[in-house]
Amino acid sequence: MKLYLQNFLKYKHLLRELVLRDIKVKYRRSILGIFWSLLNPLMMMIVMTIVFSNLFKIQIENFMVYFLTGQILFSFFSEATTIAMGSIVTNANLIKKVYIPKYIFPISKVLSSFVNLLFSLIAVFMIMLITKASFSATIFLIPVAFLYLLIFTVGVGLMLSVLTVFFRDMNHIYGIVILAWMYLTPIIYPIEIIPIKYLLFIKLNPMYYFIAFFREIILHGNIPSMELNLICILISLISLVLGLYAFYKNQNKFMLYI
Amino acid sequence: MKEEIIKVNGVSICFNLSRERIFSIKEYFVKRVKKQIGFEKFWALNNIALTINKGEVFGIVGLNGAGKSTLLKVISGILKPTRGTVVIRGTIAPLIELGAGFDMDLTAYENIFLNGAILGHDKKTMTGKLKEIISFSELQDFIDVPLKNYSSGMIARLGFSIATCVEPDILIVDEILAVGDYKFQEKCHERMKNMMNNGVTIIFVSHSTEQVKQLCTRAAWIEKGHLKMVGDADIVCNEFHKNE
Ligand SMILES: Nc1ncnc2c1ncn2[C@@H]1O[C@H](COP(=O)(O)OP(=O)(O)OP(=O)(O)O)[C@@H](O)[C@H]1O
Ligand SMILES: [Mg+2]
């Protein structure tokens, strides 16, 4: 265990370089550069506000912020896991030729997406200012909310990257899964419209809790309950442990498949 | 005086050929149902035992597909042996392929830091070595050009310069000196000679037995995954030639 930690520390420079590389390459060619991370959720929000804000019988207080808070978290999760899942296969060339701890690839991809999430956060603040939403001191809990989600996402990313090594068509399947998952997460609709009998579906959805946590501190200015905190911690740790375990068990076989 | 730096204990590597072909879930289930998942085993290395001492220049010869690169991968930790163990004392710079890990969209300057990090060096070390890398590779005028606009020889120059900028305990060289023009090859040889004088252990794979005889003290001959012979470089190379 100590040895693994040492190894990880040795390669933290590489992790940083890989994340920097992703950001550089992603934004080098687009004129709007890093502002895409900001503009994208804003434009989505405008569309969604026009289409949905009057659709539901229950009025959502400050629909724009409600939507954005859910949207940026879910698109982070969706983007990060989708890129992470292919990361071992895409870096096959490197993995075959240099010794590098392989988990560095999915993790670096998740972290690159995480940087985008931080930019998207600016969009949330902008809209909060424009709509004159109240900022409460609980926004200082944002790092906690993001940390829970980050750990959960790393775990899922690790699991998916392992699966993709063995089954290359995973990405097609996952594209459908993530779409369904998005609709099953209360991002554009309020949870109150879900009939009681389907509520269990929502309650089994990990993303629901992370988004609820985030909305609690941004929209309602409440410190999330102990229960919600525990649920988030539990989910993210389970995901991380499963991800690391799946990765650790299979990583020596990767070379034979990539 | 003799200090073991690499010890390869009865290493075997098994590739599973048939398994490699299943790449989709659909295919997997179809084959599962039809019970077609066979296990066609291929032993790329068979019970290899070697010890290499500190400061030695060790050559490996063998025909195409003999398992030389596979053995180097096991030694550098890229491949886990199916059986047996490898014990290493020191840091390794594996030059299995120059420029593995370069990002073609980034400039040479950015790639120096990325590739350095891949080899385990931090930013500070690389900043310190930057001048030396640029001057050794003679790419001063191209340092802010994306690598996709480089020639393959230029990429090899940059790769070699980065990989050898920090002196490792063990240097692994897999037929990489064939790239680059004559002048740069000379330079590479000189740098390797310098490393030898500084006591760096070098493992050298080449198809040119002349080179092996010239550079190496000892050599191993691998044939179809079996260790055929180990010993004095001249004797092993001559035997290898006779059999060819
Ligand atoms: N990932 C892999 N999966 C299956 N077989 C492999 C794999 N890698 C190598 N092999 C097989 O292992 C054998 C040894 O390959 P290796 O690359 O070590 O040869 P080599 O001695 O370096 O040859 P060359 O002189 O051409 O470089 C070959 O028959 C090759 O087909
Ligand atoms: Mg080879």
Side-chain angles (χ1 to χ4, degrees):
Chain A
M1 192 65 205
K2 205 175 141 208
L3 215 72
Y4 282 108
L5 211 62
Q6 257 173 11
N7 214 4
F8 181 75
L9 290 179
K10 185 177 164 209
Y11 282 95
K12 68 175 191 288
H13 311 287
L14 177 59
L15 200 57
R16 200 192 51 211
E17 288 294 329
L18 287 175
V19 172
L20 274 176
R21 188 262 309 252
D22 284 345
I23 294 167
K24 277 183 198 156
V25 170
K26 181 165 178 196
Y27 293 111
R28 179 148 293 176
R29 281 219 210 85
S30 75
I31 307 163
L32 290 171
I34 203 98
F35 289 103
W36 266 124
S37 307
L38 218 155
L39 276 179
N40 192 308
L42 281 180
M43 294 194 295
M44 280 284 280
M45 181 207 69
I46 291 166
V47 174
M48 291 300 169
T49 312
I50 294 167
V51 178
F52 287 107
S53 60
N54 294 313
L55 189 72
F56 305 115
K57 285 194 204 85
I58 302 163
Q59 278 296 317
I60 301 175
E61 195 190 334
N62 201 345
F63 178 81
M64 287 198 261
V65 177
Y66 180 87
F67 169 73
L68 263 187
T69 43
Q71 205 267 338
I72 65 164
L73 290 197
F74 200 89
S75 37
F76 157 69
F77 174 73
S78 140
E79 181 191 283
T81 48
T82 306
I83 307 177
M85 79 185 290
S87 60
I88 299 290
V89 178
T90 351
N91 285 296
N93 223 0
L94 190 50
I95 291 172
K96 280 186 196 167
K97 278 154 198 159
V98 192
Y99 171 75
I100 305 176
K102 300 176 192 66
Y103 55 76
I104 233 152
F105 296 106
I107 291 180
S108 79
K109 292 298 177 191
V110 172
L111 289 179
S112 314
S113 296
F114 192 69
V115 174
N116 293 341
L117 172 63
L118 296 182
F119 276 97
S120 309
L121 189 60
I122 300 172
V124 176
F125 287 153
M126 273 168 52
I127 295 301
M128 285 174 74
L129 279 175
I130 292 168
T131 58
K132 301 206 172 61
S134 58
F135 283 82
S136 58
T138 49
I139 62 166
F140 290 109
L141 290 175
I142 291 175
V144 180
F146 280 11
L147 185 69
Y148 291 157
L149 179 60
L150 179 65
I151 294 174
F152 174 71
T153 309
V154 166
V156 176
L158 285 172
M159 281 182 256
L160 288 173
S161 67
V162 174
L163 270 177
T164 309
V165 171
F166 303 114
F167 305 111
R168 296 297 164 85
D169 52 355
M170 267 309 288
N171 54 342
H172 300 296
I173 298 169
Y174 190 63
I176 299 162
V177 169
I178 199 85
L179 194 68
W181 195 339
M182 189 184 77
Y183 286 118
L184 289 173
T185 310
I187 297 170
I188 32 178
Y189 56 84
I191 185 160
E192 287 83 4
I193 69 162
I194 304 287
I196 300 287
K197 58 181 170 185
Y198 296 123
L199 211 55
L200 185 68
F201 261 128
I202 301 280
K203 299 266 167 175
L204 285 175
N205 178 355
M207 286 308 289
Y208 163 70
Y209 297 99
F210 298 116
I211 292 174
F213 191 101
F214 191 47
R215 282 178 177 155
E216 201 65 20
I217 59 185
I218 294 274
L219 271 177
H220 309 131
N222 293 334
I223 294 177
S225 68
M226 195 55 144
E227 190 194 345
L228 188 52
N229 270 290
L230 284 179
I231 292 176
C232 288
I233 293 173
L234 199 68
I235 298 172
S236 48
L237 285 185
I238 289 176
S239 160
L240 183 68
V241 169
L242 283 181
L244 286 174
Y245 181 77
F247 206 88
Y248 176 77
K249 274 283 162 197
N250 290 295
Q251 60 176 353
N252 291 339
K253 281 190 263 167
F254 287 176
M255 283 293 291
L256 310 178
Y257 288 82
I258 56 180
Chain B
M1 180 61 209
K2 273 189 185 175
E3 193 185 331
E4 282 175 9
I5 192 161
I6 299 171
K7 193 163 171 60
V8 179
N9 299 316
V11 161
S12 302
I13 287 276
C14 177
F15 289 120
N16 218 320
L17 292 180
S18 57
R19 250 202 226 162
E20 273 230 318
R21 286 185 221 117
I22 300 167
F23 275 137
S24 78
I25 295 181
K26 200 182 84 197
E27 219 176 316
Y28 179 81
F29 281 111
V30 170
K31 290 212 168 133
R32 192 89 217 226
V33 171
K34 290 185 180 165
K35 294 217 161 82
Q36 270 182 1
I37 299 180
F39 292 95
E40 202 181 308
K41 285 184 175 173
F42 173 73
W43 292 89
L45 289 181
N46 238 310
N47 205 11
I48 304 276
L50 274 177
T51 47
I52 297 175
N53 299 318
K54 194 165 164 26
E56 232 176 356
V57 181
F58 194 87
I60 299 177
V61 293
L63 299 176
N64 289 140
K68 306 180 293 296
S69 301
T70 308
L71 179 59
L72 295 188
K73 284 177 186 175
V74 175
I75 292 176
S76 40
I78 300 168
L79 259 178
K80 276 261 150 45
T82 316
R83 283 191 210 132
T85 54
V86 178
V87 184
I88 305 286
R89 294 194 188 84
T91 57
I92 298 188
L95 303 193
I96 302 221
E97 187 167 304
L98 286 178
F102 277 156
D103 190 307
M104 293 298 156
D105 281 324
L106 296 181
T107 65
Y109 180 85
E110 291 163 331
N111 266 303
I112 290 175
F113 288 97
L114 178 62
N115 213 247
I118 287 172
L119 298 173
H121 311 316
D122 60 15
K123 193 158 183 166
K124 224 166 95 198
T125 317
M126 292 314 284
T127 314
K129 293 282 176 188
L130 192 60
K131 267 219 182 84
E132 189 197 319
I133 292 171
I134 295 172
S135 72
F136 188 83
S137 60
E138 298 168 23
L139 294 167
Q140 290 88 344
D141 302 335
F142 299 91
I143 209 69
D144 290 318
V145 176
L147 281 204
K148 60 186 168 199
N149 301 337
Y150 268 43
S151 74
S152 51
M154 284 158 82
I155 290 177
R157 276 174 177 237
L158 189 64
F160 185 86
S161 310
I162 298 172
T164 54
C165 74
V166 176
E167 203 159 275
D169 299 324
I170 302 163
L171 181 72
I172 291 183
V173 185
D174 190 359
E175 298 177 77
I176 50 153
L177 296 183
V179 281
D181 50 31
Y182 178 71
K183 212 175 105 217
F184 193 68
Q185 277 193 33
E186 294 262 281
K187 249 174 131 173
C188 294
H189 276 288
E190 198 176 315
R191 183 168 266 199
M192 276 174 56
K193 286 244 172 68
N194 268 337
M195 285 195 178
M196 287 174 206
N197 294 337
N198 293 345
V200 173
T201 310
I202 299 181
I203 307 182
F204 184 73
V205 169
S206 174
H207 284 288
S208 149
T209 40
E210 283 311 309
Q211 258 183 358
V212 174
K213 277 189 210 170
Q214 193 193 342
L215 287 169
C216 302
T217 42
R218 283 201 310 148
W221 167 17
I222 294 179
E223 192 180 85
K224 291 188 182 139
H226 293 269
L227 186 63
K228 189 103 184 212
M229 201 178 163
V230 204
D232 184 80
D234 287 331
I235 300 172
V236 172
C237 286
N238 290 338
E239 274 302 309
F240 173 60
H241 251 290
K242 257 189 250 160
N243 261 268
E244 224 171 81

